[in-house]
Amino acid sequence: MKLYLGLISTVLLFSSCGNKVTSDYNIVSDNFDFSANQLKYAFTEIDSAKMNLTERQIENKVFAPRNIQPDGSLRLVASKDWCSGFFPGELWYMYEYTGDDFWKEKAIEFTAPVEQEKTNGGTHDMGFKVYCSFGNGYRLTGDSTYRDIMLESASTLITRYKENVGCIRSWDHNKDKWQCPVIIDNMMNLELLFWASKESGDSIYRNIAVNHALTTMKNHFRDDYSSYHVVDYDTVTGDVLHKHTHQGYAHESAWSRGQAWGLYGYTMCYRETGREEFLNQAKEIAGYIFNNPSLPEDLVPYWDYNAPAIPDEPRDVSAATVTACALYELSMYDKENAIVHKANADKILENLTKNYRAQLNSDRGFLLLHSVGSGNSNSEVDVPIIYADYYFLEALLKKEKLEKEGTAIL
C-alpha cells in the first residue's frame, strides 16, 4: 500500500536553476527565497492589471490575485470572493519566515480590504477570507483591532448555522437545486470558530464547530472514506436530500481537493478537541488518498481520483499542498504512521518544487502551476490558483517548525 511505502525517503537534492546540487540544500529556504522574488514581481503584475480594470471591477474594488485567465491575464478579485484572504495570508507567511517589515507592511496593505467581510452573513467562507488574512496577522502581531475583526467575523459566520441540520449552511445560490447545501470545504472554516471560542470564552462557537464536524463525518463520507462534495439537507427535518459532487467529475467520484479539505479539517478538529473519532477520520482519509491506485507516484493527484481519462487528466497542485499541510500535523498525532505521513508530505513538497514551480518573474507572479478549480464546469483548469500558493507556503513553514521544534502548529 502506498501509505506504507517509502518509510526511508530519499531526499531529492536539486536546484530550480539547474545548478549542481549540494548536500546543504534546504528546500524551505530555497522556496522562500524564490517566493520573495516572485511575490515582488507579483506586485508589479497586480499594478499592471489594475491599470486595465473595467468600471465594474473598479466599483467592486478588486485587489487580490486569484488565477490566470484563459487569455493569459491576471484575474483580481474583491473581498467578497472566497479567495480574497489567501494573498494577504501569503504575505503574512513571508513576514513570519523572514521577519522583514517589508512583508509586514505589504500584508497589512492587502489584509485591510478584507475587513468589510466581517459582517457578510451571505457566505460560509469566513475562515478562508478572514482567518487566512487577519488570523495570521493577529497571530504574528497581536493587533487587538485584528482580534475584534475576527470575533465579529465568527459571530457573523454562526448566523448560518442550522440547528435542525447540525451544520453551517454553505451556499445560498441555486435555491431551485438545493435546500441547505453543505460542502466539504466548510470544514476549513471551523478553525475560526474554535479560535473564537478560546479567545472569547464563549462555548457557542466550539459547539457549533463540533456539531458541524460530526454531522459532516456522518453524511459526507462513503464506506471507503472518500467524500462527497455537497450534501443537501431538508431545512425542517434535517434529513439528507441529495449527495452530489459539484466541482468533481461525477456525484459518485472523489474530487481530489475535497479529500484534502477533509483531511486538513479533521486533523485540525482533533487538535482543537482531542476527540478520537476526529483523529480516526483523518487517518482513514489519509489511507484513502495514499492507497488510491490512481494517485500518481509523485503524490500530486489528478483533479478527481475517478476522472475518466487518467493518466491524461490535469493534476491539481492545490489538493497536494493542502494535503501536505495536513500530513505534517497528522504526523504529530498518529504516532504509528508518523514517519510515513511526514515522508509523504516531504515528497509532495520535493516534487512540487522540482516539477510544478512557476517560472521566476513570469506566470503573473504565482508560485505554483497546474491547479484545477472546477473541472466539471471547465473552470480554472490547469492554471495557477492562489490557494495552492498559500498552502504551499504554509506546508513549508509547518515542515520547518516540525523539524526544529517538534510541532507543526503555527
Side-chain angles (χ1 to χ4, degrees):
M1 294 189 300
K2 289 186 179 179
L3 184 59
Y4 294 97
L5 291 178
L7 290 179
I8 302 176
S9 177
T10 300
V11 178
L12 301 177
L13 300 175
F14 50 81
S15 168
S16 62
C17 298
N19 296 329
K20 185 176 180 180
V21 297
T22 60
S23 59
D24 60 353
Y25 174 78
N26 185 308
I27 192 172
V28 176
S29 63
D30 174 67
N31 275 298
F32 272 96
D33 288 346
F34 164 77
S35 298
N37 290 316
Q38 188 72 340
L39 288 171
K40 288 176 181 177
Y41 175 72
F43 296 137
T44 67
E45 290 290 292
I46 292 168
D47 290 341
S48 295
K50 285 183 175 179
M51 295 180 66
N52 297 303
L53 295 179
T54 65
E55 289 186 11
R56 182 178 180 83
Q57 288 173 318
I58 294 172
E59 184 179 314
N60 289 337
K61 300 179 181 179
V62 300
F63 73 102
R66 171 165 171 163
N67 63 277
I68 293 180
Q69 298 282 58
D71 64 2
S73 64
L74 175 64
R75 178 186 177 191
L76 301 179
V77 295
S79 66
K80 65 181 180 180
D81 188 278
W82 78 275
C83 294
S84 63
F86 292 119
F87 187 71
E90 280 189 76
L91 303 180
W92 285 116
Y93 284 153
M94 291 300 302
Y95 173 60
E96 181 169 9
Y97 182 79
T98 65
D100 187 338
D101 282 342
F102 169 81
W103 297 109
K104 179 181 178 181
E105 294 307 313
K106 298 302 287 188
I108 290 171
E109 175 189 342
F110 279 87
T111 295
V114 184
E115 179 179 355
Q116 64 185 16
E117 295 306 303
K118 67 186 180 183
T119 57
N120 181 2
T123 175
H124 74 107
D125 287 315
M126 199 68 82
F128 285 128
K129 291 190 281 191
V130 174
Y131 197 78
C132 293
S133 56
F134 286 99
N136 282 312
Y138 179 62
R139 180 173 61 83
L140 295 172
T141 69
D143 187 331
S144 61
T145 302
Y146 284 11
R147 175 185 180 274
D148 293 343
I149 290 168
M150 292 170 66
L151 287 174
E152 187 167 0
S153 299
S155 295
T156 299
L157 177 57
I158 63 173
T159 63
R160 299 185 62 79
Y161 181 67
K162 305 302 179 184
E163 188 75 39
N164 291 349
V165 174
C167 277
I168 298 167
R169 180 190 180 104
S170 295
W171 295 331
D172 289 342
H173 58 73
N174 292 97
K175 292 183 179 179
D176 58 328
K177 184 176 181 179
W178 297 302
Q179 277 196 39
C180 182
V182 176
I183 62 176
I184 190 64
D185 320 38
N186 212 344
M187 288 296 302
M188 302 292 285
N189 294 300
L190 303 183
E191 193 165 12
L192 173 63
L193 299 185
F194 283 119
W195 173 88
S197 190
K198 291 182 292 186
E199 194 71 21
S200 68
D202 192 337
S203 62
I204 187 172
Y205 302 106
R206 176 188 174 90
N207 292 342
I208 287 175
V210 169
N211 287 345
H212 183 101
L214 289 171
T215 303
T216 299
M217 189 166 65
K218 176 182 177 183
N219 296 319
H220 261 77
F221 290 87
R222 306 179 182 95
D223 290 342
D224 63 359
Y225 290 93
S226 65
S227 171
Y228 290 94
H229 181 198
V230 191
V231 174
D232 185 28
Y233 294 92
D234 186 297
T235 55
V236 177
T237 66
D239 293 339
V240 173
L241 299 177
H242 307 100
K243 295 185 178 184
H244 290 169
T245 295
H246 184 63
Q247 287 174 251
Y249 167 61
H251 292 327
E252 294 301 325
S253 71
W255 174 50
S256 63
R257 195 165 72 253
Q259 315 315 302
W261 292 142
L263 178 61
Y264 190 119
Y266 282 100
T267 301
M268 176 271 296
C269 284
Y270 175 72
R271 178 225 304 158
E272 297 296 335
T273 67
R275 295 180 65 139
E276 289 295 325
E277 63 263 51
F278 293 154
L279 176 58
N280 184 66
Q281 189 73 11
K283 290 162 62 176
E284 295 288 2
I285 298 169
Y288 173 82
I289 292 172
F290 290 98
N291 295 327
N292 197 297
S294 72
L295 181 67
E297 286 301 314
D298 68 0
L299 307 186
V300 178
Y302 300 101
W303 68 281
D304 191 297
Y305 287 98
N306 304 105
I310 290 173
D312 298 320
E313 294 280 356
R315 303 293 188 91
D316 186 5
V317 159
S318 72
T321 60
V322 174
T323 297
C325 287
L327 290 175
Y328 283 123
E329 187 169 346
L330 183 59
S331 72
M332 297 168 54
Y333 312 133
D334 181 14
K335 300 299 185 183
E336 181 180 0
N337 296 300
I339 294 175
V340 180
H341 294 320
K342 184 178 183 301
N344 283 333
D346 286 344
K347 185 174 181 180
I348 289 171
L349 291 187
E350 290 160 2
N351 286 320
L352 291 177
T353 304
K354 185 178 182 181
N355 298 317
Y356 296 85
R357 211 162 71 174
Q359 183 71 31
L360 185 63
N361 295 329
S362 184
D363 298 310
R364 303 299 180 192
F366 287 93
L367 307 182
L368 296 173
L369 308 176
H370 306 304
S371 288
V372 175
S374 178
N376 189 38
S377 56
N378 198 33
S379 173
E380 297 178 302
V381 175
D382 196 21
V383 295
I385 305 180
I386 195 65
Y387 43 81
D389 293 358
Y390 173 86
Y391 289 106
F392 182 53
L393 294 186
E394 180 176 308
L396 290 163
L397 288 173
K398 285 177 177 287
K399 172 182 170 64
E400 180 172 73
K401 190 167 185 179
L402 182 65
E403 292 174 351
K404 287 185 176 180
E405 303 176 24
T407 178
I409 301 170
L410 300 181

